[in-house]
Amino acid sequence: MLQRPVSTILPEQQFLSSQSTHPKFTSNGPAQAAKEMFPCDPVTADPQTDAAVSLGTTIMAVAYDGGVVLAADSRTSTGTYVVNRAAKKLTRLTDNVYCCRSGSAADTQNLSEMVVNYLQQQEISGGRTLPVASAATLFQKLCYMNKWSISAGIIVAGYDETNGGSVYSIPSGGSCVRLPYALGGSGSIFLYSFMDANYRIGMTKDECLDLCRRAVSHALTRDGSSGGLVRTMCISKDGAEAATLPWTRIPYALERDEQYKAMAQLNPPPASNSKYQGNVTDSSTCLLYTSPSPRDS
């Protein structure tokens, strides 16, 4: 790297400011100036952990006569690394309104906190419980105003006396659509045909709950970014009822399907020539391997 001599004479600042284009002097000479003028793309040290924490996920909500059922998985991933296998993606907004979050974990958590703050202020000042449409409108405005800087896909669902059970889908970009059921997240691409074949108008609460659990279970099997538990939330005029199913109790798993069981073995049997050794609990009893000395060989 070139070094300036001690006697380098720099022009006066007034002279430099009068010039339309003037050289940029740096402390380390032209080599450092070239690095600043022509920066290189940063090198990713670890592609698994350098990616933003996102909720590659499966979320859904289904409305029935008298309430709604929300469901989600519990896996939070950073690239291909699972940072949380028991995350809670069903977030309480009010006693009668919940939301499902997908996208960036930081963005959706901040959005939810802002909406909760606004709803609490309105309930305190108005003295009444706000309808589900109010929460969905707040999410829609926040997502639309920040559509270029956040990654968020929200499903707002709940119960109110005016509309009964209602579901609103707010995808990336800030649109807001009321639907009989809504799907979101990376696992939703596996569920649209499933819902077309199995959803019908007029389903009861138990039928919707069973449908949501089966749908999320199938998404866990096919989507690598979804996994963990199956969380559900049933909301009606009687309140909210939460439930969690572990992986061993979900309705469907590829490892338990007879036609795929041989292809998805969790613990395949060892080879016939394998040797077994008891588990070592004390390292002091282990026999350390020492290489033979030259005179022994």
Side-chain angles (χ1 to χ4, degrees):
M1 182 178 295
L2 298 177
Q3 301 292 336
R4 279 204 187 93
V6 179
S7 60
T8 300
I9 299 177
L10 300 180
E12 293 291 339
Q13 186 67 26
Q14 183 178 1
F15 172 77
L16 290 177
S17 61
S18 63
Q19 303 290 329
S20 58
T21 59
H22 56 81
K24 181 180 179 182
F25 294 96
T26 61
S27 58
N28 293 328
Q32 181 64 25
K35 292 181 180 179
E36 295 177 359
M37 294 176 62
F38 306 101
C40 299
D41 295 334
V43 178
T44 303
D46 188 353
Q48 288 188 341
T49 57
D50 284 2
V53 177
S54 66
L55 275 67
T57 180
T58 301
I59 57 175
M60 63 180 301
V62 180
Y64 65 91
D65 186 16
V68 293
V69 177
L70 298 84
D73 72 315
S74 65
R75 173 175 292 180
T76 300
S77 56
T78 303
T80 57
Y81 180 74
V82 178
V83 297
N84 190 352
R85 60 181 182 177
K88 294 183 179 180
K89 304 176 185 179
L90 305 180
T91 304
R92 177 188 176 277
L93 303 178
T94 64
D95 292 338
N96 62 311
V97 183
Y98 279 70
C99 74
C100 306
R101 302 180 293 110
S102 67
S104 170
D107 294 341
T108 56
Q109 287 173 1
N110 284 323
L111 283 176
S112 301
E113 291 176 359
M114 293 176 66
V115 171
V116 169
N117 183 31
Y118 289 139
L119 292 177
Q120 288 179 349
Q121 292 180 9
Q122 291 296 323
E123 288 184 348
I124 292 174
S125 60
R128 64 184 182 89
T129 302
L130 295 177
V132 183
S134 298
T137 302
L138 282 173
F139 268 113
Q140 185 267 333
K141 290 184 177 296
L142 292 174
C143 290
Y144 181 77
M145 290 188 297
N146 302 279
K147 60 183 176 181
W148 301 115
S149 56
I150 65 173
S151 173
I154 307 295
I155 297 176
V156 178
Y159 176 86
D160 58 66
E161 296 295 337
T162 304
N163 299 316
S166 53
V167 176
Y168 294 86
S169 176
I170 303 141
S172 298
S175 61
C176 183
V177 184
R178 184 179 178 183
L179 300 167
Y181 67 86
L183 306 173
S186 58
S188 63
I189 60 175
F190 302 99
L191 297 182
Y192 283 101
S193 298
F194 178 86
M195 293 299 292
D196 291 340
N198 292 277
Y199 174 79
R200 67 181 187 277
I201 299 175
M203 298 179 69
T204 64
K205 171 186 174 181
D206 293 337
E207 290 175 340
C208 289
L209 182 61
D210 179 69
L211 175 65
C212 290
R213 287 175 172 172
R214 288 194 295 125
V216 176
S217 299
H218 280 275
L220 300 189
T221 300
R222 295 296 180 181
D223 181 31
S225 298
S226 302
L229 313 171
V230 176
R231 301 187 189 275
T232 57
M233 183 71 64
C234 301
I235 306 174
S236 63
K237 63 179 181 180
D238 299 326
E241 179 184 353
T244 301
L245 285 182
W247 180 84
T248 55
R249 294 178 55 190
I250 61 177
Y252 179 82
L254 193 69
E255 293 79 8
R256 297 197 299 267
D257 194 331
E258 293 299 330
Q259 58 181 336
Y260 299 112
K261 192 173 182 179
M263 301 170 56
Q265 295 182 3
L266 290 179
N267 297 307
S272 59
N273 59 349
S274 299
K275 297 181 180 180
Y276 290 88
Q277 179 181 352
N279 294 329
V280 178
T281 58
D282 186 2
S283 59
S284 62
T285 61
C286 296
L287 296 178
L288 301 179
Y289 172 79
T290 57
S291 60
S293 59
R295 66 181 63 181
D296 295 335
S297 59

